Amino acid sequence: MTRSPVWHPFTQHGLGEPIPLIARAEGASLYTAQGDRIVDAISSWWVTTHGHAYPPIARAIAEQAGRLDQLIFAGWTHQPAQDVAQGLVSITGLPYAFFSDSGSTCVEVALKMALGHWRHLGQGQGQRQRIAVMQHSYHGDTIGAMSIGERGVYNAAYEPLLFAVDTVPFPHAGAEQATYDALERFCAGDDAAAFIVEPLVLGAGGMLFYPPAVLAEMARICAVHGVLFIADEVMTGWGRIGTMLACDQAGVRPDILCLAKGITGGALPLAVTMASEAIYESHYAPDRSKTFFHSSSYTANAIACAAAVANLGVWRDEPVQARIDTLAARQAAGAAMLAKVDGVENVRQCGTILALDYRVPQGGYLSGLQPRLLAFFRERGLLIRPLGNTAYLMPPYSITQEDLTRCHHALAEAVELLA
Ligand code: PMP
C-alpha cells in the first residue's frame, strides 16, 4: 500500500491506524465519502460550538470571500475586524483586541505582551520576566506555549528549546492552600511577571476541574502583588463550561485573556488576545521601540473575522445559552448513570463537558488502553478521543439527545476492554 504524503498531528503512523477520510459535516455529524455517519463527540478538537457548517457562519464566509479575502493588518484595517473587536470588548470587559491565528499563537502573544508591559514601564520593573503556570497545564505546541505547559513525553525531545517557569500545584480538593502558598511565593519575588492559567478546567492535562472560588482567589493573589493574571480560555470560552467565559463564573477579569477555537464557531482559524488598558498603555508611545512586535501574514484574516462576526450574531440572535443549559443537564444525567458503572472512576461534569477515568493499573497519556478505546469508539461510529485512560465528551451544542445517549452508553460499554 502506498503511504499518504500527509503527516498527521499527534498521530503515530507506525501503528498503522486507519485514518478515516471525511467528506462532509453537518451539526454533530461527520460523513465519510461512502456516506457513513460518525458522531463528532469532541467538537473536532473542541472548536465546533453550534455545529459543523452552521448556516449563518457558512454564509458569512462565502460572502466575505467574494468581497475582501485578506488584507495586511499592520497599519491597515477592515470592518469585520473592527466588529469582532467591538463585540469582544463588550463580552470580556477588556478594551483591546490583538488578533492571531490559533490558541498557541494567542498564548504566545499574551506572554510577549506581559514581558513587553514590564519592560516598557521601566522604573526598575524590567526585571519582571518570570512566568508562573499551573501543574498539568496545556497551552499549545509552539515553543513558548510548550514552555509553559506540563513537561512530558510529548515535549521531552524539545526540552533544550523550552524556557524555565515556576509551577504551582494543581488545586486538588482539600489541598488548595498549597496552590495559594506557591502562588504567593512566586508573586512576592521581584522577577514575577505573570501567572497564566486555564480557568476552571485543565483540558489536555486530563480534564481536571477546580471550582470558581479557587480561580477567584488566585486572581486576588496576583492582583495584590500587581502580577499580571492571564486567563487562557482557548478551550473553556464560548460556552463550553456553561457560561460564555469560565472567568464569568468566578467574577474574575484577567489582565490578559486568550480566546480561539470557538471564536468563529469553529469554522476557521482565528484567535484573539484581549488586553487591559494598562497593558495597551505601556506600549502606547511616540517611541517606535515600544511597538508591539508581533505579527503573522494572516493576522485578522478578513474571512475568519467575518465568521467571528457571524458567530457573535448567532450568540446574540439565537437561544445559544438555552441549548448549552439543555446539553449540560443531559451531560449531568449521563454522568449520574456512568458513576454507577464498575471500572469507571472520577466521573465529572462541568457545563457541556463530561469526563471520566477508566480504572487501569497504569494510567497516563501513553496508557495502553488509549488506542483500544479509540478503536472501540470508532467501530461504533463515534469520534471520542481519550487522553490516556481519561475519556470525555465535549460535543457541539446541537448534538441530539439520541446521539448523546449513544455516547454515554458507549463510554459505559467500554469497560469491557478492562477485562
Ligand atoms: N490553550 C488551551 C487551553 C488549549 O486547550 C489549546 C488547544 N487544545 C491551546 C491553548 C492551543 O490551541 P491551538 O491548538 O489552537 O494552537
Side-chain angles (χ1 to χ4, degrees):
M1 208 175 81
T2 51
R3 278 185 195 165
S4 161
V6 179
W7 192 346
H8 289 261
F10 271 69
T11 301
Q12 177 45 276
H13 288 278
L15 292 175
E17 293 283 317
I19 301 197
L21 192 148
I22 298 302
R24 192 170 71 78
E26 188 183 350
S29 302
L30 309 174
Y31 296 91
T32 65
Q34 292 72 38
D36 294 334
R37 190 173 83 91
I38 295 149
V39 177
D40 183 355
I42 60 160
S43 299
S44 278
W45 253 350
W46 321 346
V47 303
T48 309
T49 47
H50 315 295
H52 286 279
Y54 204 65
I57 296 175
R59 266 196 308 276
I61 290 171
E63 284 165 17
Q64 186 64 40
R67 191 163 46 238
L68 170 68
D69 50 358
Q70 159 72 12
L71 173 74
I72 178 172
F73 210 61
W76 294 78
T77 198
H78 50 70
Q79 200 56 46
Q82 296 295 327
D83 293 347
V84 181
Q86 273 309 336
L88 291 176
V89 168
S90 38
I91 287 170
T92 65
L94 289 166
Y96 295 100
F98 190 95
F99 289 97
S100 59
D101 333 282
S102 71
S104 303
T105 53
C106 72
V107 165
E108 299 275 350
V109 165
L111 298 176
K112 287 174 69 173
M113 276 181 181
L115 263 71
H117 171 72
W118 293 120
R119 184 185 175 92
H120 300 330
L121 272 187
Q123 299 161 352
Q125 301 283 24
Q127 82 280 12
R128 288 188 175 271
Q129 293 172 353
R130 239 180 131 76
I131 306 288
V133 305
M134 182 177 278
Q135 180 192 19
H136 304 311
S137 294
Y138 177 84
H139 297 286
D141 275 346
T142 51
I143 305 295
M146 266 196 296
S147 298
I148 57 170
E150 180 86 352
R151 306 293 163 98
V153 63
Y154 29 83
N155 52 33
Y158 326 119
E159 183 75 34
L161 302 175
L162 308 184
F163 59 78
V165 293
D166 283 33
T167 304
V168 306
F170 180 82
H172 290 288
E176 298 86 351
Q177 195 57 45
T179 305
Y180 304 148
D181 291 347
L183 188 56
E184 283 275 2
R185 272 195 304 279
F186 167 76
C187 288
D190 54 13
D191 55 355
F195 172 55
I196 181 164
V197 72
E198 293 163 84
L200 306 189
V201 178
L202 273 57
M207 295 297 156
L208 305 174
F209 303 167
Y210 63 89
V214 175
L215 181 65
E217 177 61 9
M218 295 189 300
R220 191 195 64 80
I221 292 170
C222 289
V224 164
H225 293 274
V227 170
L228 299 175
F229 186 80
I230 307 176
D232 175 353
E233 295 234 28
V234 166
M235 186 278 273
T236 51
W238 305 101
R240 272 309 162 196
I241 66 165
T243 45
M244 168 64 96
L245 298 175
C247 283
D248 294 342
Q249 294 184 32
V252 162
R253 180 172 299 169
D255 299 292
I256 302 178
L257 173 70
C258 302
L259 292 170
K261 293 190 188 280
I263 189 172
T264 58
L268 282 175
L270 185 73
V272 73
T273 309
M274 301 298 296
S276 69
E277 192 70 48
I279 305 275
Y280 186 85
E281 272 304 313
S282 57
H283 290 80
Y284 188 90
D287 176 355
R288 287 172 65 199
S289 71
K290 291 189 176 178
T291 303
F292 187 52
F293 290 112
H294 188 95
S295 174
S296 69
S297 316
Y298 284 104
T299 299
N301 171 262
I303 306 173
C305 285
V309 174
N311 176 44
L312 291 171
V314 171
W315 275 87
R316 190 188 53 232
D317 302 335
E318 299 186 20
V320 179
Q321 188 60 51
R323 288 175 198 149
I324 289 169
D325 294 345
T326 302
L327 175 53
R330 289 173 177 169
Q331 291 281 54
M337 181 276 283
L338 285 157
K340 298 191 196 107
V341 175
D342 191 31
V344 157
E345 296 175 328
N346 305 322
V347 180
R348 49 206 187 271
Q349 176 255 335
C350 183
T352 73
I353 307 173
L354 181 158
L356 54 80
D357 305 334
Y358 289 103
R359 194 182 304 140
V360 286
Q362 194 81 46
Y365 191 80
L366 289 188
S367 162
L369 185 62
Q370 199 270 358
R372 294 170 59 223
L373 284 169
L374 202 58
F376 180 90
F377 297 128
R378 194 168 44 221
E379 280 158 20
R380 281 155 186 77
L382 305 175
L383 168 48
I384 298 175
R385 192 183 154 95
L387 297 154
N389 60 314
T390 300
Y392 65 90
L393 306 175
M394 195 193 295
Y397 310 150
S398 52
I399 190 169
T400 61
Q401 166 84 73
E402 194 188 346
D403 281 345
L404 191 65
T405 304
R406 270 180 62 203
C407 293
H408 292 152
H409 287 150
L411 288 176
E413 288 156 16
V415 295
E416 75 183 44
L417 299 178
L418 305 176

